[in-house]
């Protein structure tokens, strides 16, 4: 019987059984991955407590990082050989990668052209948004957990709220649409701010999505009992807004959405823990050091960097990628007693 959690009895990341080939990135539970998350760096200029310790982490050694050309080659294999249709760049903080505009431009030339998006804390986006749009960036998600400068500093250990807000404005001004905001609420830190954040997003035309905090912090201190749940977030929003379930089809989108005060503004809640959407997951992940992860919570990875550097052709890379995805487990298993937090924190996986 296949393993159902990521705990010790898990199926190895690398296949373990024959899988269909050639073709798309299928798994043995009937899902097909068409959405690629590419981490461009494990470094960051913030230290959000749910993600990275204040002292930082031992960064990946430079020689292990994929070069810009290697990233472009692997994304090319994903798009042209494996049916990937959406490419999202993330990190760490992807705006810290000097080659980002060039990578985006090269990916925009792939056939068929994938949709290209970025998840960022937006620090520096005021300088880069124009170049990124020109390169082919289609959409951006900006992480913003509070509108209060002191809280921002307490939460992210850096006094950079103004820089994030400048980046948000620049994203909208440069024509990126819709601009989405990702918010993680933490109990006793910013969980009273949900309605203010939604008011801010509605007033500025941003689409806000709350994300339940997941056990992906570097210190491993996440506790389910302390997590602010999707139900609590909705209750808090409903003290101020009327929320009606969005009639639009959700598809494989992780966020459940609601119309705010009759619409057209919407708010999303990503209940990764209490309302998991693993059954509809369409994601595959490439880390900054060239490892495929078939799930955020996978405990195994599949090395593509070594394959690329050993001179493998695109067909061999595609085959290794298919094998990696074939071994994807049906769910993250956070609620299972045998669940083990992945060795890499969110910043090194790519959120
Ligand atoms: N630095 C960029 C940013 O913050 O948007 C991109 C990387 S960050 C890891 C991507 C997303 O993951 C952010 O929206 C962040 O809030 C979210 N995230 C990080 N750690 C998380 C955790 N433990 N649980 C839920 N979301 C988390
Ligand atoms: Fe950096 Fe993003 Fe992690 Fe915050 S969530 S520490 S901005 S990588």
């Amino acid at each position: 019987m296949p393993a159902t959690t990521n705990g010790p009895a898990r199926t190895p990341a690398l296949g373990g059984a024959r899988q269909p080939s050639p073709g798309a990135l299928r798994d043995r539970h009937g899902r097909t991955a068409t959405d690629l998350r590419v981490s461009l760096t494990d470094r960051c200029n913030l230290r959000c407590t749910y993600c990275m310790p204040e002292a930082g982490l031992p960064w990946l050694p430079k020689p292990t990082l994929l070069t810009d050309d290697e990233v472009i080659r692997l994304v090319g294999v994903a798009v042209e050989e494996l049916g990937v249709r959406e490419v999202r760049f993330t990190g760490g903080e992807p705006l810290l990668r000097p080659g980002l505009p060039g990578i985006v431009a090269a990916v925009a030339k792939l056939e068929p052209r994938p949709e290209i998006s970025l998840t960022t804390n937006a620090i520096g986006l005021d300088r880069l948004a124009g170049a990124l749009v020109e390169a082919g960036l289609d959409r951006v998600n900006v992480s913003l957990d509070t509108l209060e400068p002191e809280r921002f500093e307490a939460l992210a250990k850096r006094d950079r709220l103004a820089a994030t807000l400048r980046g948000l404005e620049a994203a909208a001004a440069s024509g990126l649409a819709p601009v989405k905001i990702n918010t993680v609420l933490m109990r006793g830190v910013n969980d009273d701010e949900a309605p203010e954040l939604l008011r801010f997003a509605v007033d500025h035309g941003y689409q806000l999505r709350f994300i339940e905090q997941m056990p992906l912090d570097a210190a491993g201190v996440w506790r389910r009992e302390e997590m602010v749940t999707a139900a609590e977030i909705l209750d808090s929003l409903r003290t101020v807004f009327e929320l009606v379930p969005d009639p639009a089809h959700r598809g494989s989108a992780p966020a459940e959405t609601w119309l705010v005060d009759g619409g057209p503004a919407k708010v999303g809640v990503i209940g990764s823990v209490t309302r998991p959407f693993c059954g509809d997951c369409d994601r595959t992940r490439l880390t900054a050091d060239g490892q495929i992860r078939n799930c955020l919570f996978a405990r195994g990875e599949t090395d593509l960097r070594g394959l690329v550097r050993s001179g493998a052709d695109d067909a061999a890379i595609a085959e290794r990628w298919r094998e990696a995805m074939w071994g994807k487990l049906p769910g993250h298993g956070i609620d299972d007693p045998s669940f083990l937090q992945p060795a890499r924190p969110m910043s090194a996986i790519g959120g």
Side-chain angles (χ1 to χ4, degrees):
M1 198 175 112
T4 54
T5 82
N6 79 342
R10 60 178 304 285
T11 311
L14 192 77
R18 274 180 52 76
Q19 47 88 51
S21 168
L25 291 172
R26 299 195 177 84
D27 68 39
R28 49 163 79 82
H29 306 287
R31 298 165 295 189
T32 301
T34 55
D35 178 344
L36 169 62
R37 308 276 152 140
V38 182
S39 174
L40 292 177
T41 177
D42 57 331
R43 294 178 187 240
C44 191
N45 39 15
L46 296 183
R47 297 287 185 272
C48 306
T49 45
Y50 48 73
C51 180
M52 223 196 265
E54 187 166 3
L57 289 163
W59 308 124
L60 293 168
K62 187 122 195 273
T64 69
L65 296 178
L66 295 178
T67 64
D68 291 359
D69 286 346
E70 287 170 339
V71 170
I72 293 163
R73 165 131 190 249
L74 290 175
V75 175
V77 170
V79 170
E80 295 182 340
E81 308 270 335
L82 296 168
V84 160
R85 294 290 166 261
E86 288 182 56
V87 179
R88 174 173 294 275
F89 294 106
T90 179
E93 178 43 53
L95 294 179
L96 296 180
R97 176 107 181 192
L100 178 63
I103 293 172
V104 170
V107 170
K109 291 198 182 85
L110 295 172
E111 290 287 340
R113 187 200 188 283
E115 185 170 270
I116 306 171
S117 56
L118 186 70
T119 300
T120 173
N121 61 30
I123 296 173
L125 195 55
D126 49 343
R127 282 180 286 103
L128 281 165
L132 289 170
V133 169
E134 201 171 311
L137 184 68
D138 298 307
R139 289 191 296 109
V140 70
N141 285 20
V142 172
S143 302
L144 176 69
D145 299 328
T146 178
L147 295 166
E148 297 182 18
E150 303 77 30
R151 277 190 182 182
F152 189 99
E153 189 169 356
L155 218 152
K157 311 297 179 206
R158 303 284 189 272
D159 180 13
R160 304 305 301 276
L161 174 62
T164 288
L165 295 179
R166 278 200 304 276
L168 249 181
E169 277 171 30
S174 65
L176 292 166
V179 174
K180 294 189 181 174
I181 297 180
N182 291 350
T183 299
V184 177
L185 294 180
M186 299 176 79
R187 201 174 295 287
V189 179
N190 61 344
D191 56 334
D192 58 349
E193 223 180 312
E196 284 85 350
L197 283 158
L198 181 53
R199 172 61 61 209
F200 169 82
V202 170
D203 287 350
H204 288 81
Y206 307 136
Q207 272 186 28
L208 179 62
R209 296 130 35 101
F210 293 94
I211 307 175
E212 279 181 345
Q213 188 186 349
M214 295 178 278
L216 289 167
D217 55 305
V221 296
W222 179 91
R223 296 284 168 272
R224 198 185 202 293
E225 317 75 72
E226 286 169 26
M227 184 193 74
V228 181
T229 64
E232 289 176 289
I233 295 165
L234 290 168
D235 284 348
S236 167
L237 294 175
R238 284 191 166 116
T239 60
V240 176
F241 299 95
E242 192 199 349
L243 301 184
V244 178
D246 181 2
H249 179 56
R250 180 179 176 189
S252 59
E256 285 179 79
T257 49
W258 282 263
L259 297 178
V260 179
D261 288 341
K266 296 178 183 185
V267 63
V269 179
I270 303 181
S272 321
V273 178
T274 63
R275 304 176 185 212
F277 39 87
C278 303
D280 291 319
C281 182
D282 62 356
R283 295 188 184 168
T284 181
R285 293 171 187 275
L286 177 65
T287 63
D289 57 348
Q291 312 299 305
I292 294 299
R293 297 181 62 89
N294 59 24
C295 172
L296 261 182
F297 296 95
R299 295 189 46 82
E301 299 181 340
T302 299
D303 179 42
L304 293 190
R305 184 187 71 234
L307 204 56
V308 167
R309 293 187 182 172
S310 69
D313 63 12
D314 287 359
I317 294 169
E319 191 58 15
R320 175 83 57 94
W321 205 324
R322 284 189 203 99
E323 287 168 5
M325 294 310 294
W326 188 244
K328 181 170 170 131
L329 297 178
H332 56 47
I334 289 173
D335 282 333
D336 193 280
S338 69
F339 174 79
L340 292 172
Q341 188 167 328
R344 290 194 201 233
M346 185 68 127
S347 57
I349 295 172

